[in-house]
Amino acid sequence: MTVHPATMKERAAEALHNDFLREAVKITTDKFFAGKALAQRSLGDWEAWRERGRAIRAHVLAHLDYYLGQLIDQVKSRGGKVHLCETAEDAVQVIVDIARARNARSVIKSKSMVTEEIQLNKALEAIGVRAVETDLGEYIIQLAHETPSHIIAPAIHKTKKDVAELFSQVAGKPIKDDTDTLTNFARQKLREEFLTGDIGITGCNFAVAETGSVALFTNEGNGRMVTTLPPVHVVVMGMERVVPTFEDLEVMMNLLPRSGTGQKLTSYVTVITGPRREGEVDGPEEFHLVIVDNGRSRILRDPEFREALQCIRCGACLNVCPVYRQIGGHAYGWVYPGPIGAVITPLLTDDLDRWGDLPYASSLCAACAEACPVKIPLHDMLVRHRVRYVAAGKTPPAERMAFRLYKRAFTSPRRYRLAFKTAVTFQRPLVKDRHLSARLPGLAGWTAGRDFPAAAPKRFRDLWPGLAAEARQMGGADHE
């Protein structure tokens, strides 16, 4: 497994030296963004759709206990089993118990970020159950022992040559790196897995409370195979992924693919309601819905961050983020990359020491909030995170000292004048073409990649008397 550096800064520095990664991320996100612009125009009043999506998600969060109760009752009434799990460990144990009860040897999976979050594959492997990802991108990164680098395009950072090398290891012989050969190989290998899997595990784009149905949006058809061929289907969903009705699901079906990949609709929309019933020709004998909290209740109780649970995991905020577009997903260090990852990772993990630096991976340009189809104010949340990080005393001592000095200088006219004169005096040996080009201690983050502007020889306040006199003279000439 690839081991990444410990801090966001170190991981970002590593990513910035990967030219292919930066180019691949740029090409793919540009494609998604251009497609989104076309797809949203075809829907009509895009802002009205965004507002409708926001209202649905906000309503669900305000009444989450009611809709979860309705969902659970409906799933049970249709023969399904429901498991409420407070922690990742609880969810993993439930699924491990299901696998043991069925004497399962292999599990086939459809794409699921929640199962990445709870590290399900690792737990299944520990009890001798082979878990196989069947989404092509997920299959590739599973072979590479990596985590997804984009919410909807997990292998965005891999070249065809990389993929051919991974597939050659599986095949035990060289596999050509052309697209047709690679996809044909994956199709043949995964078909064998579909036919022999003991349990199918999927995520859940949305669960419909009024019927107890689970909806999957996919582009490869693997979701349909995973939910119908094995005798057991386990759905793992974050507790917030509920919509009240099918009418609300339709809104999400329009918003999610348009925002994520620029598609009007995903190639497949699969809706499952419980296990196979009498007279039906396919579907699982057992249906389990595993509802995962794992920190979401804590976010729900927090008025500053509750709206983060409105996220529909489309990845639109990643596609427009100037930071993500330079460093890709692995620099964020955990399951969820980009602006939404920088917001929810410290909240889900409740670990400021390890993840408190993620909210600094943003220019605060607000492009993420503008792109979000359900209007999550991500840039405001990133600022709130920084406030909490500073208040908790987690910033470096030198930074705290610098801001204390900044505060003292800028809250007193006398101290400001003194600080300005001091800076002008001491910078002189380092100024070249009005910039500080030397790599000064503490300023290397600026001067290593660009010139730091030097303090002007005179403040605007000092220039103003002369400028005002010049303006008066020009004004007098006009009157003559």
Side-chain angles (χ1 to χ4, degrees), residues 4 8 11 88 113-114 116-119 147-150 294 296 329-338 341 344-350 354-355 358:
H4 296 287
M8 176 72 201
R11 293 190 297 271
M113 297 300 288
V114 179
E116 293 281 348
E117 177 186 323
I118 64 176
Q119 299 186 45
T147 54
S149 61
H150 190 287
N294 201 32
R296 287 165 175 79
H330 288 159
Y332 292 83
W334 200 49
V335 179
Y336 302 105
I344 65 173
T345 298
L347 298 170
L348 288 174
T349 60
D350 197 24
R354 185 171 182 187
W355 304 112
L358 281 185

PDB file of all heavy atoms in Angstrom, residues 4 8 11 88 113-114 116-119 147-150 294 296 329-338 341 344-350 354-355 358:
ATOM      1  N   HIS A   4       1.476   7.677   2.468  1.00  0.00           N
ATOM      2  CA  HIS A   4       1.554   9.099   2.223  1.00  0.00           C
ATOM      3  C   HIS A   4       2.084   9.814   3.462  1.00  0.00           C
ATOM      4  O   HIS A   4       1.929   9.330   4.580  1.00  0.00           O
ATOM      5  CB  HIS A   4       0.172   9.644   1.855  1.00  0.00           C
ATOM      6  CG  HIS A   4      -0.364   9.077   0.573  1.00  0.00           C
ATOM      7  ND1 HIS A   4       0.131   9.440  -0.651  1.00  0.00           N
ATOM      8  CD2 HIS A   4      -1.328   8.156   0.334  1.00  0.00           C
ATOM      9  CE1 HIS A   4      -0.520   8.785  -1.606  1.00  0.00           C
ATOM     10  NE2 HIS A   4      -1.399   7.992  -1.035  1.00  0.00           N
ATOM     11  N   MET A   8      -0.892  17.557   5.811  1.00  0.00           N
ATOM     12  CA  MET A   8      -1.457  18.057   4.552  1.00  0.00           C
ATOM     13  C   MET A   8      -0.381  18.749   3.724  1.00  0.00           C
ATOM     14  O   MET A   8      -0.311  18.576   2.505  1.00  0.00           O
ATOM     15  CB  MET A   8      -2.592  19.039   4.882  1.00  0.00           C
ATOM     16  CG  MET A   8      -3.218  19.703   3.687  1.00  0.00           C
ATOM     17  SD  MET A   8      -4.243  18.564   2.739  1.00  0.00           S
ATOM     18  CE  MET A   8      -4.297  19.392   1.145  1.00  0.00           C
ATOM     19  N   ARG A  11       1.893  16.166   2.127  1.00  0.00           N
ATOM     20  CA  ARG A  11       1.201  15.421   1.065  1.00  0.00           C
ATOM     21  C   ARG A  11       1.010  16.304  -0.172  1.00  0.00           C
ATOM     22  O   ARG A  11       1.140  15.848  -1.308  1.00  0.00           O
ATOM     23  CB  ARG A  11      -0.143  14.902   1.570  1.00  0.00           C
ATOM     24  CG  ARG A  11      -0.041  13.830   2.652  1.00  0.00           C
ATOM     25  CD  ARG A  11      -1.402  13.203   2.929  1.00  0.00           C
ATOM     26  NE  ARG A  11      -2.365  14.146   3.447  1.00  0.00           N
ATOM     27  CZ  ARG A  11      -2.558  14.421   4.730  1.00  0.00           C
ATOM     28  NH1 ARG A  11      -1.844  13.792   5.653  1.00  0.00           N
ATOM     29  NH2 ARG A  11      -3.470  15.297   5.114  1.00  0.00           N
ATOM     30  N   ALA A  88     -18.165   3.129  13.338  1.00  0.00           N
ATOM     31  CA  ALA A  88     -17.662   2.335  12.216  1.00  0.00           C
ATOM     32  C   ALA A  88     -17.438   0.894  12.642  1.00  0.00           C
ATOM     33  O   ALA A  88     -17.736  -0.048  11.891  1.00  0.00           O
ATOM     34  CB  ALA A  88     -16.358   2.957  11.695  1.00  0.00           C
ATOM     35  N   MET A 113     -18.608   4.999  -0.747  1.00  0.00           N
ATOM     36  CA  MET A 113     -17.660   5.778   0.042  1.00  0.00           C
ATOM     37  C   MET A 113     -17.773   5.445   1.531  1.00  0.00           C
ATOM     38  O   MET A 113     -16.784   5.525   2.268  1.00  0.00           O
ATOM     39  CB  MET A 113     -17.909   7.273  -0.173  1.00  0.00           C
ATOM     40  CG  MET A 113     -17.686   7.752  -1.593  1.00  0.00           C
ATOM     41  SD  MET A 113     -16.000   7.479  -2.195  1.00  0.00           S
ATOM     42  CE  MET A 113     -15.103   8.713  -1.265  1.00  0.00           C
ATOM     43  N   VAL A 114     -18.970   5.071   1.978  1.00  0.00           N
ATOM     44  CA  VAL A 114     -19.136   4.752   3.403  1.00  0.00           C
ATOM     45  C   VAL A 114     -18.345   3.504   3.772  1.00  0.00           C
ATOM     46  O   VAL A 114     -17.750   3.429   4.854  1.00  0.00           O
ATOM     47  CB  VAL A 114     -20.625   4.582   3.758  1.00  0.00           C
ATOM     48  CG1 VAL A 114     -20.782   4.228   5.231  1.00  0.00           C
ATOM     49  CG2 VAL A 114     -21.399   5.853   3.446  1.00  0.00           C
ATOM     50  N   GLU A 116     -15.618   2.632   2.398  1.00  0.00           N
ATOM     51  CA  GLU A 116     -14.229   3.102   2.504  1.00  0.00           C
ATOM     52  C   GLU A 116     -14.018   3.755   3.864  1.00  0.00           C
ATOM     53  O   GLU A 116     -12.984   3.567   4.511  1.00  0.00           O
ATOM     54  CB  GLU A 116     -13.941   4.121   1.400  1.00  0.00           C
ATOM     55  CG  GLU A 116     -13.944   3.589  -0.012  1.00  0.00           C
ATOM     56  CD  GLU A 116     -12.652   2.875  -0.370  1.00  0.00           C
ATOM     57  OE1 GLU A 116     -11.678   2.990   0.396  1.00  0.00           O
ATOM     58  OE2 GLU A 116     -12.627   2.195  -1.414  1.00  0.00           O
ATOM     59  N   GLU A 117     -15.008   4.530   4.296  1.00  0.00           N
ATOM     60  CA  GLU A 117     -14.913   5.245   5.572  1.00  0.00           C
ATOM     61  C   GLU A 117     -14.759   4.284   6.749  1.00  0.00           C
ATOM     62  O   GLU A 117     -13.980   4.547   7.670  1.00  0.00           O
ATOM     63  CB  GLU A 117     -16.175   6.102   5.727  1.00  0.00           C
ATOM     64  CG  GLU A 117     -16.288   6.863   7.027  1.00  0.00           C
ATOM     65  CD  GLU A 117     -17.644   7.570   7.139  1.00  0.00           C
ATOM     66  OE1 GLU A 117     -18.153   8.058   6.117  1.00  0.00           O
ATOM     67  OE2 GLU A 117     -18.197   7.603   8.252  1.00  0.00           O
ATOM     68  N   ILE A 118     -15.494   3.179   6.736  1.00  0.00           N
ATOM     69  CA  ILE A 118     -15.430   2.242   7.876  1.00  0.00           C
ATOM     70  C   ILE A 118     -14.376   1.163   7.668  1.00  0.00           C
ATOM     71  O   ILE A 118     -14.227   0.267   8.495  1.00  0.00           O
ATOM     72  CB  ILE A 118     -16.807   1.597   8.136  1.00  0.00           C
ATOM     73  CG1 ILE A 118     -17.248   0.725   6.953  1.00  0.00           C
ATOM     74  CG2 ILE A 118     -17.855   2.675   8.427  1.00  0.00           C
ATOM     75  CD1 ILE A 118     -18.562  -0.023   7.196  1.00  0.00           C
ATOM     76  N   GLN A 119     -13.649   1.232   6.530  1.00  0.00           N
ATOM     77  CA  GLN A 119     -12.574   0.272   6.209  1.00  0.00           C
ATOM     78  C   GLN A 119     -13.073  -1.171   6.232  1.00  0.00           C
ATOM     79  O   GLN A 119     -12.491  -2.046   6.873  1.00  0.00           O
ATOM     80  CB  GLN A 119     -11.394   0.464   7.163  1.00  0.00           C
ATOM     81  CG  GLN A 119     -10.776   1.845   7.085  1.00  0.00           C
ATOM     82  CD  GLN A 119      -9.520   1.977   7.921  1.00  0.00           C
ATOM     83  OE1 GLN A 119      -8.654   1.110   7.906  1.00  0.00           O
ATOM     84  NE2 GLN A 119      -9.417   3.073   8.648  1.00  0.00           N
ATOM     85  N   THR A 147      -6.428   4.434  -2.000  1.00  0.00           N
ATOM     86  CA  THR A 147      -7.760   4.943  -1.721  1.00  0.00           C
ATOM     87  C   THR A 147      -8.211   5.802  -2.906  1.00  0.00           C
ATOM     88  O   THR A 147      -7.385   6.246  -3.711  1.00  0.00           O
ATOM     89  CB  THR A 147      -7.761   5.794  -0.431  1.00  0.00           C
ATOM     90  OG1 THR A 147      -6.761   6.817  -0.569  1.00  0.00           O
ATOM     91  CG2 THR A 147      -7.463   4.939   0.781  1.00  0.00           C
ATOM     92  N   PRO A 148      -9.525   6.069  -3.036  1.00  0.00           N
ATOM     93  CA  PRO A 148     -10.006   6.897  -4.157  1.00  0.00           C
ATOM     94  C   PRO A 148      -9.396   8.294  -4.107  1.00  0.00           C
ATOM     95  O   PRO A 148      -9.195   8.855  -3.035  1.00  0.00           O
ATOM     96  CB  PRO A 148     -11.519   6.951  -3.930  1.00  0.00           C
ATOM     97  CG  PRO A 148     -11.835   5.773  -3.063  1.00  0.00           C
ATOM     98  CD  PRO A 148     -10.633   5.568  -2.196  1.00  0.00           C
ATOM     99  N   SER A 149      -9.126   8.851  -5.304  1.00  0.00           N
ATOM    100  CA  SER A 149      -8.595  10.212  -5.345  1.00  0.00           C
ATOM    101  C   SER A 149      -9.647  11.212  -5.810  1.00  0.00           C
ATOM    102  O   SER A 149      -9.384  12.395  -5.890  1.00  0.00           O
ATOM    103  CB  SER A 149      -7.369  10.302  -6.255  1.00  0.00           C
ATOM    104  OG  SER A 149      -7.700   9.940  -7.575  1.00  0.00           O
ATOM    105  N   HIS A 150     -10.841  10.711  -6.131  1.00  0.00           N
ATOM    106  CA  HIS A 150     -11.974  11.585  -6.477  1.00  0.00           C
ATOM    107  C   HIS A 150     -13.232  10.833  -6.067  1.00  0.00           C
ATOM    108  O   HIS A 150     -13.288   9.602  -6.179  1.00  0.00           O
ATOM    109  CB  HIS A 150     -11.974  11.895  -7.975  1.00  0.00           C
ATOM    110  CG  HIS A 150     -12.937  12.973  -8.391  1.00  0.00           C
ATOM    111  ND1 HIS A 150     -14.301  12.778  -8.436  1.00  0.00           N
ATOM    112  CD2 HIS A 150     -12.737  14.252  -8.791  1.00  0.00           C
ATOM    113  CE1 HIS A 150     -14.893  13.896  -8.846  1.00  0.00           C
ATOM    114  NE2 HIS A 150     -13.966  14.813  -9.063  1.00  0.00           N
ATOM    115  N   ASN A 294     -21.501   7.056  12.922  1.00  0.00           N
ATOM    116  CA  ASN A 294     -20.053   7.321  12.864  1.00  0.00           C
ATOM    117  C   ASN A 294     -19.714   8.820  12.849  1.00  0.00           C
ATOM    118  O   ASN A 294     -18.931   9.297  12.022  1.00  0.00           O
ATOM    119  CB  ASN A 294     -19.444   6.652  11.626  1.00  0.00           C
ATOM    120  CG  ASN A 294     -17.938   6.458  11.768  1.00  0.00           C
ATOM    121  OD1 ASN A 294     -17.431   6.250  12.870  1.00  0.00           O
ATOM    122  ND2 ASN A 294     -17.213   6.540  10.662  1.00  0.00           N
ATOM    123  N   ARG A 296     -21.967  11.378  12.526  1.00  0.00           N
ATOM    124  CA  ARG A 296     -22.942  12.235  11.853  1.00  0.00           C
ATOM    125  C   ARG A 296     -23.897  12.892  12.845  1.00  0.00           C
ATOM    126  O   ARG A 296     -24.320  14.040  12.624  1.00  0.00           O
ATOM    127  CB  ARG A 296     -23.696  11.414  10.803  1.00  0.00           C
ATOM    128  CG  ARG A 296     -22.838  11.082   9.581  1.00  0.00           C
ATOM    129  CD  ARG A 296     -23.445   9.975   8.723  1.00  0.00           C
ATOM    130  NE  ARG A 296     -22.669   9.750   7.494  1.00  0.00           N
ATOM    131  CZ  ARG A 296     -21.541   9.064   7.439  1.00  0.00           C
ATOM    132  NH1 ARG A 296     -21.025   8.524   8.543  1.00  0.00           N
ATOM    133  NH2 ARG A 296     -20.896   8.913   6.291  1.00  0.00           N
ATOM    134  N   GLY A 329      -6.663  14.059  -4.945  1.00  0.00           N
ATOM    135  CA  GLY A 329      -7.369  13.639  -3.742  1.00  0.00           C
ATOM    136  C   GLY A 329      -6.530  13.052  -2.635  1.00  0.00           C
ATOM    137  O   GLY A 329      -6.851  13.196  -1.454  1.00  0.00           O
ATOM    138  N   HIS A 330      -5.424  12.367  -2.978  1.00  0.00           N
ATOM    139  CA  HIS A 330      -4.665  11.682  -1.931  1.00  0.00           C
ATOM    140  C   HIS A 330      -4.006  12.656  -0.953  1.00  0.00           C
ATOM    141  O   HIS A 330      -3.701  12.283   0.173  1.00  0.00           O
ATOM    142  CB  HIS A 330      -3.607  10.779  -2.566  1.00  0.00           C
ATOM    143  CG  HIS A 330      -4.201   9.565  -3.213  1.00  0.00           C
ATOM    144  ND1 HIS A 330      -3.554   8.838  -4.190  1.00  0.00           N
ATOM    145  CD2 HIS A 330      -5.393   8.956  -3.043  1.00  0.00           C
ATOM    146  CE1 HIS A 330      -4.313   7.829  -4.577  1.00  0.00           C
ATOM    147  NE2 HIS A 330      -5.445   7.893  -3.893  1.00  0.00           N
ATOM    148  N   ALA A 331      -3.799  13.895  -1.399  1.00  0.00           N
ATOM    149  CA  ALA A 331      -3.185  14.877  -0.501  1.00  0.00           C
ATOM    150  C   ALA A 331      -4.078  15.182   0.700  1.00  0.00           C
ATOM    151  O   ALA A 331      -3.594  15.677   1.723  1.00  0.00           O
ATOM    152  CB  ALA A 331      -2.883  16.162  -1.267  1.00  0.00           C
ATOM    153  N   TYR A 332      -5.372  14.891   0.582  1.00  0.00           N
ATOM    154  CA  TYR A 332      -6.284  15.150   1.698  1.00  0.00           C
ATOM    155  C   TYR A 332      -6.203  14.054   2.765  1.00  0.00           C
ATOM    156  O   TYR A 332      -6.759  14.213   3.842  1.00  0.00           O
ATOM    157  CB  TYR A 332      -7.718  15.308   1.188  1.00  0.00           C
ATOM    158  CG  TYR A 332      -7.895  16.573   0.368  1.00  0.00           C
ATOM    159  CD1 TYR A 332      -7.550  16.596  -0.985  1.00  0.00           C
ATOM    160  CD2 TYR A 332      -8.369  17.737   0.935  1.00  0.00           C
ATOM    161  CE1 TYR A 332      -7.691  17.741  -1.747  1.00  0.00           C
ATOM    162  CE2 TYR A 332      -8.507  18.897   0.191  1.00  0.00           C
ATOM    163  CZ  TYR A 332      -8.163  18.890  -1.156  1.00  0.00           C
ATOM    164  OH  TYR A 332      -8.296  20.044  -1.891  1.00  0.00           O
ATOM    165  N   GLY A 333      -5.563  12.941   2.428  1.00  0.00           N
ATOM    166  CA  GLY A 333      -5.164  11.982   3.448  1.00  0.00           C
ATOM    167  C   GLY A 333      -6.174  10.954   3.890  1.00  0.00           C
ATOM    168  O   GLY A 333      -5.806   9.965   4.515  1.00  0.00           O
ATOM    169  N   TRP A 334      -7.466  11.181   3.597  1.00  0.00           N
ATOM    170  CA  TRP A 334      -8.474  10.217   4.086  1.00  0.00           C
ATOM    171  C   TRP A 334      -9.421   9.891   2.965  1.00  0.00           C
ATOM    172  O   TRP A 334      -9.047   9.975   1.791  1.00  0.00           O
ATOM    173  CB  TRP A 334      -9.190  10.791   5.318  1.00  0.00           C
ATOM    174  CG  TRP A 334      -9.883   9.754   6.172  1.00  0.00           C
ATOM    175  CD1 TRP A 334      -9.363   8.583   6.628  1.00  0.00           C
ATOM    176  CD2 TRP A 334     -11.237   9.811   6.650  1.00  0.00           C
ATOM    177  NE1 TRP A 334     -10.306   7.909   7.366  1.00  0.00           N
ATOM    178  CE2 TRP A 334     -11.454   8.631   7.397  1.00  0.00           C
ATOM    179  CE3 TRP A 334     -12.268  10.728   6.528  1.00  0.00           C
ATOM    180  CZ2 TRP A 334     -12.682   8.357   8.031  1.00  0.00           C
ATOM    181  CZ3 TRP A 334     -13.483  10.459   7.156  1.00  0.00           C
ATOM    182  CH2 TRP A 334     -13.692   9.289   7.905  1.00  0.00           C
ATOM    183  N   VAL A 335     -10.660   9.556   3.286  1.00  0.00           N
ATOM    184  CA  VAL A 335     -11.602   9.051   2.288  1.00  0.00           C
ATOM    185  C   VAL A 335     -12.175  10.162   1.421  1.00  0.00           C
ATOM    186  O   VAL A 335     -12.310  10.002   0.214  1.00  0.00           O
ATOM    187  CB  VAL A 335     -12.755   8.306   3.000  1.00  0.00           C
ATOM    188  CG1 VAL A 335     -13.776   7.793   1.990  1.00  0.00           C
ATOM    189  CG2 VAL A 335     -12.194   7.167   3.833  1.00  0.00           C
ATOM    190  N   TYR A 336     -12.508  11.300   2.032  1.00  0.00           N
ATOM    191  CA  TYR A 336     -13.237  12.347   1.324  1.00  0.00           C
ATOM    192  C   TYR A 336     -12.288  13.491   0.973  1.00  0.00           C
ATOM    193  O   TYR A 336     -11.806  14.189   1.862  1.00  0.00           O
ATOM    194  CB  TYR A 336     -14.396  12.858   2.181  1.00  0.00           C
ATOM    195  CG  TYR A 336     -15.371  11.768   2.579  1.00  0.00           C
ATOM    196  CD1 TYR A 336     -15.380  11.257   3.881  1.00  0.00           C
ATOM    197  CD2 TYR A 336     -16.256  11.244   1.648  1.00  0.00           C
ATOM    198  CE1 TYR A 336     -16.261  10.249   4.244  1.00  0.00           C
ATOM    199  CE2 TYR A 336     -17.136  10.228   2.003  1.00  0.00           C
ATOM    200  CZ  TYR A 336     -17.145   9.737   3.306  1.00  0.00           C
ATOM    201  OH  TYR A 336     -18.010   8.737   3.657  1.00  0.00           O
ATOM    202  N   PRO A 337     -12.030  13.720  -0.322  1.00  0.00           N
ATOM    203  CA  PRO A 337     -11.111  14.797  -0.716  1.00  0.00           C
ATOM    204  C   PRO A 337     -11.853  16.094  -1.023  1.00  0.00           C
ATOM    205  O   PRO A 337     -13.084  16.184  -0.940  1.00  0.00           O
ATOM    206  CB  PRO A 337     -10.485  14.234  -1.987  1.00  0.00           C
ATOM    207  CG  PRO A 337     -11.581  13.412  -2.603  1.00  0.00           C
ATOM    208  CD  PRO A 337     -12.394  12.858  -1.455  1.00  0.00           C
ATOM    209  N   GLY A 338     -11.085  17.104  -1.424  1.00  0.00           N
ATOM    210  CA  GLY A 338     -11.651  18.366  -1.883  1.00  0.00           C
ATOM    211  C   GLY A 338     -12.267  19.183  -0.762  1.00  0.00           C
ATOM    212  O   GLY A 338     -12.113  18.871   0.427  1.00  0.00           O
ATOM    213  N   GLY A 341     -14.373  17.293   1.681  1.00  0.00           N
ATOM    214  CA  GLY A 341     -13.522  16.475   2.550  1.00  0.00           C
ATOM    215  C   GLY A 341     -12.846  17.301   3.626  1.00  0.00           C
ATOM    216  O   GLY A 341     -12.728  16.868   4.774  1.00  0.00           O
ATOM    217  N   ILE A 344     -15.733  17.852   6.242  1.00  0.00           N
ATOM    218  CA  ILE A 344     -16.324  16.772   7.041  1.00  0.00           C
ATOM    219  C   ILE A 344     -15.302  15.843   7.682  1.00  0.00           C
ATOM    220  O   ILE A 344     -15.623  15.184   8.674  1.00  0.00           O
ATOM    221  CB  ILE A 344     -17.333  15.940   6.212  1.00  0.00           C
ATOM    222  CG1 ILE A 344     -16.637  15.195   5.067  1.00  0.00           C
ATOM    223  CG2 ILE A 344     -18.459  16.818   5.715  1.00  0.00           C
ATOM    224  CD1 ILE A 344     -17.575  14.243   4.330  1.00  0.00           C
ATOM    225  N   THR A 345     -14.083  15.785   7.160  1.00  0.00           N
ATOM    226  CA  THR A 345     -13.107  14.872   7.761  1.00  0.00           C
ATOM    227  C   THR A 345     -12.796  15.235   9.221  1.00  0.00           C
ATOM    228  O   THR A 345     -12.844  14.354  10.097  1.00  0.00           O
ATOM    229  CB  THR A 345     -11.810  14.825   6.932  1.00  0.00           C
ATOM    230  OG1 THR A 345     -12.118  14.332   5.627  1.00  0.00           O
ATOM    231  CG2 THR A 345     -10.773  13.922   7.572  1.00  0.00           C
ATOM    232  N   PRO A 346     -12.498  16.515   9.547  1.00  0.00           N
ATOM    233  CA  PRO A 346     -12.269  16.826  10.971  1.00  0.00           C
ATOM    234  C   PRO A 346     -13.502  16.582  11.829  1.00  0.00           C
ATOM    235  O   PRO A 346     -13.380  16.274  13.026  1.00  0.00           O
ATOM    236  CB  PRO A 346     -11.914  18.326  10.944  1.00  0.00           C
ATOM    237  CG  PRO A 346     -11.479  18.614   9.544  1.00  0.00           C
ATOM    238  CD  PRO A 346     -12.302  17.691   8.687  1.00  0.00           C
ATOM    239  N   LEU A 347     -14.705  16.694  11.221  1.00  0.00           N
ATOM    240  CA  LEU A 347     -15.935  16.508  11.990  1.00  0.00           C
ATOM    241  C   LEU A 347     -16.218  15.030  12.229  1.00  0.00           C
ATOM    242  O   LEU A 347     -16.556  14.624  13.344  1.00  0.00           O
ATOM    243  CB  LEU A 347     -17.110  17.148  11.247  1.00  0.00           C
ATOM    244  CG  LEU A 347     -17.013  18.661  11.026  1.00  0.00           C
ATOM    245  CD1 LEU A 347     -18.103  19.127  10.075  1.00  0.00           C
ATOM    246  CD2 LEU A 347     -17.120  19.401  12.356  1.00  0.00           C
ATOM    247  N   LEU A 348     -16.093  14.212  11.185  1.00  0.00           N
ATOM    248  CA  LEU A 348     -16.380  12.786  11.340  1.00  0.00           C
ATOM    249  C   LEU A 348     -15.369  12.109  12.262  1.00  0.00           C
ATOM    250  O   LEU A 348     -15.721  11.225  13.040  1.00  0.00           O
ATOM    251  CB  LEU A 348     -16.369  12.097   9.966  1.00  0.00           C
ATOM    252  CG  LEU A 348     -17.554  12.402   9.044  1.00  0.00           C
ATOM    253  CD1 LEU A 348     -17.325  11.777   7.672  1.00  0.00           C
ATOM    254  CD2 LEU A 348     -18.860  11.876   9.635  1.00  0.00           C
ATOM    255  N   THR A 349     -14.117  12.520  12.153  1.00  0.00           N
ATOM    256  CA  THR A 349     -13.075  11.886  12.971  1.00  0.00           C
ATOM    257  C   THR A 349     -12.948  12.516  14.347  1.00  0.00           C
ATOM    258  O   THR A 349     -12.375  11.906  15.254  1.00  0.00           O
ATOM    259  CB  THR A 349     -11.709  11.995  12.265  1.00  0.00           C
ATOM    260  OG1 THR A 349     -11.395  13.380  12.069  1.00  0.00           O
ATOM    261  CG2 THR A 349     -11.737  11.296  10.914  1.00  0.00           C
ATOM    262  N   ASP A 350     -13.462  13.751  14.494  1.00  0.00           N
ATOM    263  CA  ASP A 350     -13.354  14.492  15.758  1.00  0.00           C
ATOM    264  C   ASP A 350     -11.891  14.535  16.233  1.00  0.00           C
ATOM    265  O   ASP A 350     -11.593  14.302  17.394  1.00  0.00           O
ATOM    266  CB  ASP A 350     -14.237  13.820  16.834  1.00  0.00           C
ATOM    267  CG  ASP A 350     -14.486  14.750  18.021  1.00  0.00           C
ATOM    268  OD1 ASP A 350     -14.398  15.973  17.850  1.00  0.00           O
ATOM    269  OD2 ASP A 350     -14.757  14.234  19.129  1.00  0.00           O
ATOM    270  N   ARG A 354      -4.937  15.632  14.066  1.00  0.00           N
ATOM    271  CA  ARG A 354      -4.526  14.974  12.824  1.00  0.00           C
ATOM    272  C   ARG A 354      -5.087  15.664  11.584  1.00  0.00           C
ATOM    273  O   ARG A 354      -4.425  15.719  10.546  1.00  0.00           O
ATOM    274  CB  ARG A 354      -4.964  13.507  12.837  1.00  0.00           C
ATOM    275  CG  ARG A 354      -4.464  12.753  11.624  1.00  0.00           C
ATOM    276  CD  ARG A 354      -4.710  11.280  11.733  1.00  0.00           C
ATOM    277  NE  ARG A 354      -4.181  10.579  10.571  1.00  0.00           N
ATOM    278  CZ  ARG A 354      -4.353   9.293  10.322  1.00  0.00           C
ATOM    279  NH1 ARG A 354      -5.025   8.561  11.189  1.00  0.00           N
ATOM    280  NH2 ARG A 354      -3.858   8.739   9.243  1.00  0.00           N
ATOM    281  N   TRP A 355      -6.334  16.165  11.675  1.00  0.00           N
ATOM    282  CA  TRP A 355      -7.008  16.661  10.469  1.00  0.00           C
ATOM    283  C   TRP A 355      -7.320  18.151  10.521  1.00  0.00           C
ATOM    284  O   TRP A 355      -7.954  18.679   9.615  1.00  0.00           O
ATOM    285  CB  TRP A 355      -8.303  15.879  10.231  1.00  0.00           C
ATOM    286  CG  TRP A 355      -8.081  14.403  10.133  1.00  0.00           C
ATOM    287  CD1 TRP A 355      -8.479  13.454  11.011  1.00  0.00           C
ATOM    288  CD2 TRP A 355      -7.391  13.702   9.092  1.00  0.00           C
ATOM    289  NE1 TRP A 355      -8.093  12.209  10.597  1.00  0.00           N
ATOM    290  CE2 TRP A 355      -7.417  12.333   9.414  1.00  0.00           C
ATOM    291  CE3 TRP A 355      -6.755  14.113   7.911  1.00  0.00           C
ATOM    292  CZ2 TRP A 355      -6.828  11.362   8.610  1.00  0.00           C
ATOM    293  CZ3 TRP A 355      -6.167  13.147   7.106  1.00  0.00           C
ATOM    294  CH2 TRP A 355      -6.213  11.793   7.454  1.00  0.00           C
ATOM    295  N   LEU A 358      -6.567  20.455   7.408  1.00  0.00           N
ATOM    296  CA  LEU A 358      -7.242  20.305   6.114  1.00  0.00           C
ATOM    297  C   LEU A 358      -7.979  21.569   5.666  1.00  0.00           C
ATOM    298  O   LEU A 358      -7.930  21.926   4.486  1.00  0.00           O
ATOM    299  CB  LEU A 358      -8.232  19.133   6.173  1.00  0.00           C
ATOM    300  CG  LEU A 358      -7.663  17.719   6.048  1.00  0.00           C
ATOM    301  CD1 LEU A 358      -8.798  16.711   5.998  1.00  0.00           C
ATOM    302  CD2 LEU A 358      -6.812  17.603   4.800  1.00  0.00           C
TER     303      LEU A 358
END
